[in-house]
């Protein structure tokens, strides 16, 4: 799309036999200058005196499916919301003719849902790929017109594109078409030093670093000599080569489909593979690509690039993601589309090729006996060791048909309203007047979960959009030095803009798909600070598509379904309550209570911190800068912590004053022993919340008897509606009431475990263990009073870490806590090593070799 085309002020909307002009609905990769005019034409002015809006929060869970013609029109990244679920929210919160805003529109679900419900849609996104996909969803081309355009395109270029995949049948010698080419990475065997094609390796049983069974590949040359040498991904690499071709005979041989390999035992097959399959690929590599394709679109600056597959498998820019053949075929399709006169039909065809571009790349994994053509790992750029090249035209034609069927489904319910799309950041919506929007539904990016800017980069490179916008992205990205604090700052600005443009008394629904409770608290902080009131529903509100990925079913804290949080903008003069933050006008006793808890939490995670670090942690939780000036920080700190002065080497701390003897000292702060004990009111809150979760656990495990525990995300979902939450995060107090299973889920304790956990809570032992282990992890000096009394205590502390799921802390206690196994019985040595191995495996890190020594021996009873 050229810049001139992008800035067109008109877009022709064809719907059946109807033709309608949508003026300036979409401006390509630029902000839409028609936004103020659109609001002026369609918004109903807010009138405080006559406003009768009084809608309660939508508090019903929605179970739906992704298996619809509309959803399958485009494979956007994870987190995509089905339009039919969003429609229910729009229908509840707005009347026909209202304006719905989505400041993070993504693939366009909110816009489409609004149009289907007869509402006007204003949607924004900083990614040009996202707004383009949205535009195509919301501009339903007549399916007959689209199919005819594909037919015309086939006459023009199909032979050229399919000619790239022409081959010969090894049975009749006649013409054939390549239907699949498998590429395999070549490694060097560390034992025999031979170059080994992974596809040729022998598969056998093995185990992961965590000890779970898995299939492994072994060197065929070593295997012939009786050795079992595993070929690992860390081995030296020599590129990827074609190893197998599947084809379809055009002379209708029986069977029509055939297959051959590079090392085929059949000499004729092997000869045809070398002459026609490899020969075709080599010829394409020698010939220049005649049409434009992405060149110079660098990917080496992407997050985690240096340790991910892009680096190890030679991908430096977008074009490296494709075989030369598919690169040329996709470029040919784009070139033909660019010549079409009808720009909306052209966009619909670009929409189709866009939707399968990643599947046509080297990211597509080869799966034996697969029933689907594309197998991608979502949410990342993963280059598989064995990839599958699929022919472009076949899948392009199939995708166009899917898009046409999606448009047929949209046609049945599309209402006579219009939309406006603007490619811009949501932190500045100054073109939208205050108090003009009737409802906001949005699904913002959370932390570093999905790097949308990087994942959309390939699409935007093919579309020739401006890709220099990543610095504006609201994301956590270590490479671009975007921290969680940056995310919170920009998210706050975006939500403040939503608050400004939303009419008083109206609602904002925010999809939440991150089970990090810290992020959950941060979201509440942001929304409370900008002025929103959170709906206090008694049950979790969710959108559940029913379909789960393997990671969602097995990972410790993965999201199983999307939660929806409803926030309301208060009406004028309505009483507002600020939660989570330390408010600017809070009374002194309440301030001290909240501030002390913040300091306790910080010093539990960072024992031995310096005063300036503690001060920064406290000030960051305040609504108003400078608020600490009205309070005595030193007195507050000394009420919960004690100072320990430690000598340090000269010149390391230039700001430290020398003592009377000329040495330099540094002050570190540690919690007092009393900090391990909760006040009675907090204990009551935690007891009540734990009882509520245990009731849920009992019901859940009774229903799913095959499960040994309950997933954290399910507990987290049940915990969100709790009205009077404890000050500590769920993840902090959950291990003090429940037992973590080896599979990473949580179960209620048995009677003995319940009594033991009660004693640990009463003594504050688990909090003391955390402080001790965190000090070891951070490498700060330990106080004698924080140390366990001996090796038996260390054994018990390690066991408590294993049972509580504090795997990193358990690993630190074993490796750095000074444990002497010689002082333990043989049985205790075995127990401590078992606990350590579990901590290492569950923590996903490499540990030291277990250090059992011969100590006192005792007879071990066989149970």
């Amino acid at each position: 799309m050229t810049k001139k085309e992008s800035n067109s002020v008109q877009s022709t909307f064809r719907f059946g036999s109807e033709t309608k002009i949508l003026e300036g609905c979409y401006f390509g990769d630029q902000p839409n200058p028609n936004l103020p005019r659109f609001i002026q034409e369609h918004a109903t002015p807010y009138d405080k005196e006559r406003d009768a809006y009084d809608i309660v929060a939508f508090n019903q869970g929605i179970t739906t499916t992704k298996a619809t013609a509309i959803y399958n029109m485009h494979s956007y990244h994870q987190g995509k919301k089905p339009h039919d679920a969003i429609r229910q929210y729009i229908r509840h919160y707005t009347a026909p003719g209202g304006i719905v805003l989505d400041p993070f529109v993504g693939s366009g679900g909110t816009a489409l849902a609004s149009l289907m419900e007869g509402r006007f849609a204003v949607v924004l996104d900083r990614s040009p790929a996202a707004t383009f996909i949205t535009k195509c969803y919301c501009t339903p081309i007549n399916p007959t017109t689209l199919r005819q355009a594909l037919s015309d395109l086939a006459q023009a270029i199909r032979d050229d594109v399919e000619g790239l995949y022409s081959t010969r049948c090894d049975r009749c010698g006649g013409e054939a078409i390549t239907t699949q080419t498998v590429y395999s990475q070549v490694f060097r065997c560390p034992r025999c030093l031979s170059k080994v094609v992974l596809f040729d390796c022998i598969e056998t049983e093995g185990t992961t670093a965590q000890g779970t069974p898995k299939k492994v590949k072994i060197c065929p040359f070593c295997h012939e000599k009786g050795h079992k040498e595993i070929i690992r991904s860390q081995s030296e690499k020599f590129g990827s080569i074609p190893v197998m071709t599947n084809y379809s005979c055009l002379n209708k041989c029986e069977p029509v489909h055939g297959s051959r390999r590079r090392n085929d035992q059949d000499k004729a097959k092997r000869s045809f593979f070398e002459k026609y399959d490899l020969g075709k690929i080599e010829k394409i590599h020698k010939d220049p690509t005649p049409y434009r394709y992405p060149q110079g679109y660098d990917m080496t600056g992407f997050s985690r690039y240096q340790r991910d597959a892009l680096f190890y498998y030679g991908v430096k820019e977008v074009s490296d993601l494709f075989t030369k053949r598919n690169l040329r075929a996709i470029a040919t399709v784009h070139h033909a589309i660019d010549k079409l006169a009808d720009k909306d039909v052209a966009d619909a065809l670009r929409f189709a090729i866009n939707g399968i571009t990643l599947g046509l790349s080297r990211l597509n994994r080869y799966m034996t006996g697969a029933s689907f053509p594309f197998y991608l790992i979502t949410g990342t750029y993963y280059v598989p060791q064995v990839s599958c090249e699929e022919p472009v035209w076949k899948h392009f034609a199939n995708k166009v048909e899917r898009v046409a069927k999606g448009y047929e489904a949209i046609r049945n319910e599309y209402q006579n309203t219009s939309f406006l799309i603007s490619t811009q950041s949501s932190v500045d919506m100054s073109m939208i007047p205050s108090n003009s929007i009737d409802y906001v539904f949005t699904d913002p990016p959370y932390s570093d979960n999905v790097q949308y800017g990087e994942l959309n980069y390939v699409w935007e490179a093919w579309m020739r959009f401006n890709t220099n916008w990543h610095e504006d992205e609201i994301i956590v990205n270590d490479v671009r030095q975007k921290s969680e604090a940056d995310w919170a700052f920009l998210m706050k600005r975006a939500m403040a803009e939503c608050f400004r443009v939303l009419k008083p008394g109206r609602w904002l629904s925010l999809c939440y798909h991150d089970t990090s409770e810290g992020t959950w608290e941060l979201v509440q902080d942001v929304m409370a600070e900008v002025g929103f009131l959170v709906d206090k529903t008694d049950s979790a509100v969710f959108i559940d598509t029913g379909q789960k990925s393997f990671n969602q079913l097995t990972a410790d804290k993965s999201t199983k379904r999307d939660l929806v949080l409803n926030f309301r903008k208060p009406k004028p003069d309505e009483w507002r309550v600020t939660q989570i933050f330390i408010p600017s006008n809070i009374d002194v006793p309440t301030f001290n209570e909240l501030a002390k808890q913040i300091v306790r939490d910080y010093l539990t995670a960072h024992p031995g911190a310096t005063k300036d670090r503690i001060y920064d942690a406290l000030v960051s939780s305040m609504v108003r800068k400078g608020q600490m000036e009205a309070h005595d920080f030193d007195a507050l700190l000394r009420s919960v912590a004690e100072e320990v002065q430690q000598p340090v080497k000269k010149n390391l701390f230039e700001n430290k004053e020398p003592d009377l003897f000329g040495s330099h000292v540094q002050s570190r702060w540690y919690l007092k022993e009393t900090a391990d004990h909760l006040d009675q009111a907090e204990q009551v809150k935690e007891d009540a919340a734990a009882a509520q979760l245990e009731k849920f656990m009992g019901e859940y495990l009774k229903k799913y008897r095959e499960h040994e525990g309950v997933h954290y995300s399910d507990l987290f979902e049940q915990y969100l509606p709790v009205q009077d939450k404890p000050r500590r995060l769920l993840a902090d107090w959950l291990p003090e009431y429940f037992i973590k299973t080896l599979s990473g889920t949580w179960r209620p304790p048995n009677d003995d475990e319940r009594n033991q956990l009660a004693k640990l809570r009463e003594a504050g032992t688990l909090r003391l263990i955390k402080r001790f282990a965190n000090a070891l992890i951070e490498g700060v000096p330990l106080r004698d009073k924080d140390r366990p009394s001996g090796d038996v205590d260390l054994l018990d502390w390690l066991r408590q870490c294993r049972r509580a799921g504090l795997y990193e802390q358990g690993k630190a206690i074993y490796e750095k806590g000074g444990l002497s196994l010689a002082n333990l019985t043989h049985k205790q040595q075995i127990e401590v090593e078992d606990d350590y191995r579990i901590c290492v495996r569950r923590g996903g890190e490499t540990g030291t070799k277990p250090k059992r020594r011969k100590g006192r021996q005792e007879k071990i009873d066989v149970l």
Side-chain angles (χ1 to χ4, degrees):
M1 179 178 293
T2 66
K3 196 64 162 287
K4 182 178 180 180
E5 293 165 0
S6 297
N7 290 338
S8 170
V9 296
Q10 293 189 13
S11 179
T12 304
F13 161 40
R14 288 178 174 80
F15 183 59
S17 59
E18 176 187 3
T19 299
K20 179 180 179 181
I21 299 298
L22 298 178
E23 294 186 356
C25 69
Y26 170 69
F27 257 68
D29 58 10
Q30 303 298 312
N32 195 322
N34 296 311
L35 181 51
R37 186 179 70 183
F38 185 90
I39 299 294
Q40 183 180 12
E41 290 177 356
H42 301 295
T44 302
Y46 173 70
D47 187 335
K48 174 185 174 182
E49 303 302 327
R50 297 184 179 182
D51 182 38
Y53 186 90
D54 189 22
I55 302 297
V56 299
F58 184 86
N59 60 2
Q60 300 175 13
I62 297 175
T63 300
T64 183
T65 179
K66 298 179 181 179
T68 67
I70 296 175
Y71 193 94
N72 290 330
M73 289 171 70
H74 194 282
S75 301
Y76 199 67
H77 314 299
Q78 59 194 67
K80 179 180 174 183
K81 303 297 176 292
H83 71 283
D84 59 332
I86 305 175
R87 290 180 68 179
Q88 297 185 49
Y89 281 86
I90 292 173
R91 193 182 308 135
H92 175 83
Y93 284 116
T94 64
I99 298 183
V100 178
L101 168 70
D102 188 345
F104 301 96
V105 70
S107 59
T110 301
L112 182 60
S114 299
L115 297 175
M116 287 183 161
E117 290 298 323
R119 276 69 166 170
F120 296 99
V122 173
V123 294
L124 320 174
D125 206 292
R126 189 60 188 89
S127 167
T131 54
F132 171 77
I133 293 168
T134 299
K135 182 262 181 184
C136 292
Y137 260 116
C138 295
T139 312
I141 305 302
N142 187 316
T144 301
T145 303
L146 184 60
R147 292 184 176 107
Q148 183 59 51
L150 176 66
S151 178
D152 295 342
L153 212 62
Q155 292 184 11
I157 66 167
R158 180 173 179 173
D159 289 344
D160 291 340
V161 175
E162 290 197 337
L164 298 172
Y165 305 89
S166 63
T167 186
R168 289 280 175 176
C169 174
D170 52 62
R171 293 163 297 179
C172 69
E175 294 183 350
I177 190 79
T178 300
T179 58
Q180 190 180 64
T181 302
V182 178
Y183 282 74
S184 174
Q185 186 67 36
V186 180
F187 295 92
R188 186 188 295 280
C189 174
R191 183 185 183 91
C192 69
L193 302 182
S194 300
K195 290 183 180 179
V196 179
V197 179
L198 188 66
F199 190 77
D200 297 339
C201 289
I202 299 168
E203 189 174 81
T204 186
E205 298 294 333
T207 58
T208 66
Q210 289 74 32
T212 56
K214 65 170 290 187
K215 299 289 186 182
V216 296
K217 300 281 191 177
I218 61 173
C219 173
F221 305 109
C222 291
H223 182 262
E224 289 179 356
K225 299 177 181 180
H227 302 299
K228 183 179 177 180
E229 185 64 30
I230 299 177
I231 301 300
R232 305 180 188 277
S233 59
Q234 297 87 348
S235 302
E236 187 178 0
K237 303 171 183 64
F238 294 89
S240 188
I241 64 171
V243 294
M244 186 175 77
T245 293
N246 294 321
Y247 64 90
S248 179
C249 178
L250 300 183
N251 286 346
K252 304 300 181 182
C253 280
E254 292 295 338
V256 173
H257 302 292
S259 179
R260 54 196 177 221
R261 304 187 179 199
R262 60 179 289 275
N263 58 354
D264 211 303
Q265 297 298 314
D266 186 315
K267 291 184 179 180
K269 287 180 177 291
R270 188 166 66 250
S271 175
F272 270 73
F273 180 85
E274 293 172 355
K275 182 176 181 180
Y276 296 106
D277 300 329
L278 294 185
K280 171 69 72 173
I281 292 172
E282 290 172 1
K283 182 179 186 305
I284 293 172
H285 270 269
K286 292 178 182 179
D287 295 340
T289 300
Y291 305 118
R292 182 260 173 197
Y293 64 90
Q295 291 179 283
Y297 287 86
D298 182 64
M299 301 180 75
T300 60
F302 282 11
S303 60
R304 298 182 296 276
Y305 177 83
Q306 292 298 320
R307 70 170 189 259
D308 282 355
L310 291 179
F311 173 77
Y312 289 112
Y313 296 104
V315 177
K316 294 183 179 179
E317 60 176 274
V318 168
S319 59
D320 294 333
L321 282 174
F322 301 86
T323 64
K324 184 70 178 294
R325 175 158 56 187
N326 274 12
L327 192 74
R328 179 167 176 171
I330 297 171
T332 303
V333 172
H334 273 281
H335 178 75
I337 293 174
D338 288 343
K339 296 191 294 184
L340 296 179
D342 191 318
K343 300 308 175 186
D344 284 334
V345 171
D347 278 351
L349 293 172
R350 291 189 187 98
F351 178 58
I353 191 68
N354 179 299
I356 59 171
T357 294
L358 295 179
L360 295 171
S361 74
R362 293 170 56 198
L363 303 178
N364 188 30
R365 293 177 291 165
Y366 172 69
M367 305 290 283
T368 305
S371 58
F372 295 96
F374 304 137
Y375 281 87
L376 308 174
I377 295 181
T378 60
T380 187
Y381 286 114
Y382 171 78
V383 181
Q385 296 170 1
V386 180
S387 62
C388 182
E389 178 198 66
E390 292 283 339
V392 169
W393 184 265
K394 168 188 172 182
H395 294 293
F396 173 61
N398 289 343
K399 192 65 173 181
V400 171
E401 179 58 28
R402 287 189 181 184
V403 171
K405 289 181 177 178
Y407 283 150
E408 287 173 347
I410 292 174
R411 179 174 57 179
N412 294 331
E413 300 185 64
Y414 205 92
Q415 302 292 319
N416 189 28
T417 50
S418 56
F419 62 93
L420 184 137
I421 303 169
S422 186
T423 307
Q424 65 174 78
S425 172
S426 57
V427 301
D428 181 6
M429 294 188 272
S430 55
M431 288 193 292
I432 303 178
S434 300
N435 302 330
S436 60
I437 300 297
D438 296 295
Y439 174 56
V440 179
F441 184 97
T442 192
D443 182 17
Y446 283 98
S447 187
D448 60 350
N449 282 1
V450 182
Q451 297 290 332
Y452 290 101
E454 295 178 359
L455 294 174
N456 289 357
Y457 189 72
V458 173
W459 294 333
E460 291 167 358
W462 277 103
M463 295 288 295
R464 286 174 280 178
F465 284 138
N466 179 8
T467 59
N468 299 317
W469 60 269
H470 290 179
E471 288 307 311
D472 297 337
E473 187 177 14
I474 303 178
I475 203 75
V476 175
N477 186 299
D478 293 338
V479 173
R480 298 205 297 274
Q481 298 182 335
K482 286 178 171 286
S483 65
E484 188 175 85
D486 297 321
W487 175 88
F489 174 75
L490 293 174
M491 184 61 66
K492 177 183 172 183
R493 288 183 59 184
M495 292 299 103
E497 282 290 82
C498 288
F499 184 87
R500 178 185 64 80
V501 303
L502 190 62
K503 291 178 181 177
R506 272 57 172 186
W507 292 88
L508 178 150
S509 296
L510 183 146
C511 292
Y512 180 83
H513 48 84
D514 181 2
T515 53
S516 165
E517 192 181 351
T519 309
W520 156 247
E521 297 286 351
L522 192 55
V523 168
Q524 290 189 95
D525 290 351
V526 167
M527 302 303 284
E529 186 174 358
V530 301
F532 279 106
L533 305 178
V534 63
D535 170 54
K536 295 183 178 181
T537 181
D538 292 330
S539 59
V541 182
F542 59 83
I543 296 176
D544 190 348
T545 59
Q547 296 141 309
K548 305 290 183 293
S549 68
F550 176 79
N551 185 63
Q552 285 177 311
L553 293 173
T554 59
D556 187 13
K557 288 190 177 183
S558 66
T559 51
K560 291 189 175 182
R561 54 187 180 181
D562 295 303
L563 303 182
V564 181
L565 314 175
N566 291 300
F567 298 91
R568 184 170 60 85
K569 179 177 179 178
K571 294 182 178 181
D573 304 322
E574 185 177 1
W575 181 57
R576 292 167 55 186
V577 179
T578 301
Q579 298 177 338
I580 310 302
F581 274 98
I582 299 181
S584 58
N585 59 347
I586 197 171
D587 60 88
V588 174
T590 305
F591 177 92
N592 288 336
E593 179 184 354
L594 295 176
K596 288 177 183 178
Q597 183 58 40
I598 292 169
V599 173
R600 288 190 191 100
D601 291 342
Y602 186 78
L603 284 179
T604 296
H606 306 281
T610 57
K611 181 189 290 188
D612 58 338
R613 297 281 183 171
I614 303 169
Y615 183 87
D616 290 343
L618 177 57
V619 170
S620 67
S621 298
M622 296 177 183
V623 169
R624 180 170 55 83
K625 292 181 178 180
Q627 188 177 349
M628 191 67 233
E629 296 174 0
H631 301 273
D632 189 340
F633 173 71
D634 284 347
L636 186 148
L637 178 60
R638 292 184 183 280
S639 68
V640 295
E642 59 186 17
E643 180 183 16
V644 177
Q645 292 190 339
Q646 299 166 340
V648 296
K649 294 180 180 180
K650 292 183 179 182
N651 300 326
L652 290 180
F653 297 92
E654 297 180 356
N655 61 332
K656 299 296 181 291
E657 294 295 332
D659 62 14
L660 295 176
F661 300 98
S663 63
H664 291 250
V665 296
Q666 181 187 35
S667 293
R668 293 184 178 274
W669 292 81
Y670 298 84
L671 284 178
K672 294 179 178 179
E673 289 81 351
T674 54
D676 290 328
H677 303 277
L678 290 181
D679 59 74
Q680 186 175 3
E682 279 300 301
Q683 192 68 65
V684 169
K685 290 180 182 179
E686 291 187 0
D687 290 345
Q692 187 168 333
L693 289 183
E694 184 162 357
K695 179 181 178 182
F696 168 73
M697 283 182 176
E699 296 171 349
Y700 181 94
L701 295 175
K702 185 176 180 180
K703 181 178 180 181
Y704 301 101
R705 297 182 182 276
E706 69 277 13
H707 295 178
E708 64 174 339
V710 181
H711 198 280
Y712 178 87
S713 65
D714 293 317
L715 295 176
F716 181 71
E717 185 175 306
Q718 292 296 317
Y719 180 64
L720 290 184
V722 172
Q723 296 295 319
D724 195 12
K725 289 186 175 67
R727 287 194 299 256
R728 292 196 295 165
L729 298 180
L730 172 63
D732 287 335
W733 61 261
L734 191 68
E736 298 180 14
Y737 289 87
F738 304 104
I739 304 297
K740 195 165 191 179
T741 69
L742 292 180
S743 62
T745 57
W746 294 88
R747 65 169 176 82
N750 58 38
D751 291 341
D752 290 340
E753 292 167 338
R754 189 182 306 278
N755 292 332
Q756 188 175 7
L757 289 174
K759 292 178 181 178
L760 291 175
R761 290 196 300 272
E762 184 178 354
T765 304
L766 202 54
R767 293 188 285 279
L768 175 60
I769 293 172
K770 288 181 185 178
R771 287 215 309 275
F772 172 73
N774 288 337
L776 296 175
I777 293 170
E778 300 217 345
V780 300
L782 284 161
R783 297 181 303 177
D784 290 338
K785 63 178 67 178
D786 286 338
R787 296 178 183 275
S789 60
D791 292 301
V792 175
D793 276 353
L794 277 171
L795 166 67
D796 181 64
W797 285 17
L798 174 56
R799 180 174 297 114
Q800 298 305 332
C801 286
R802 188 262 297 168
R803 295 172 65 179
L806 303 173
Y807 302 123
E808 184 181 6
Q809 286 79 2
K811 181 172 176 286
I813 288 174
Y814 182 91
E815 296 176 356
K816 303 176 182 179
L819 179 64
S820 176
L821 295 184
N823 296 327
L824 302 176
T825 67
H826 185 66
K827 180 179 179 180
Q828 288 172 330
Q829 290 181 27
I830 294 175
E831 290 173 351
V832 76
E833 290 172 9
D834 286 343
D835 289 337
Y836 170 67
R837 286 192 181 94
I838 290 172
C839 287
V840 170
R841 290 172 182 173
R842 294 300 302 167
E845 298 180 3
T846 302
T848 61
K849 186 177 180 180
K851 51 186 179 182
R852 189 192 311 175
R853 304 180 184 128
K854 291 184 179 180
R856 295 175 298 170
Q857 299 292 323
E858 71 173 20
K859 183 179 180 180
I860 301 177
D861 294 331
V862 179
L863 300 180

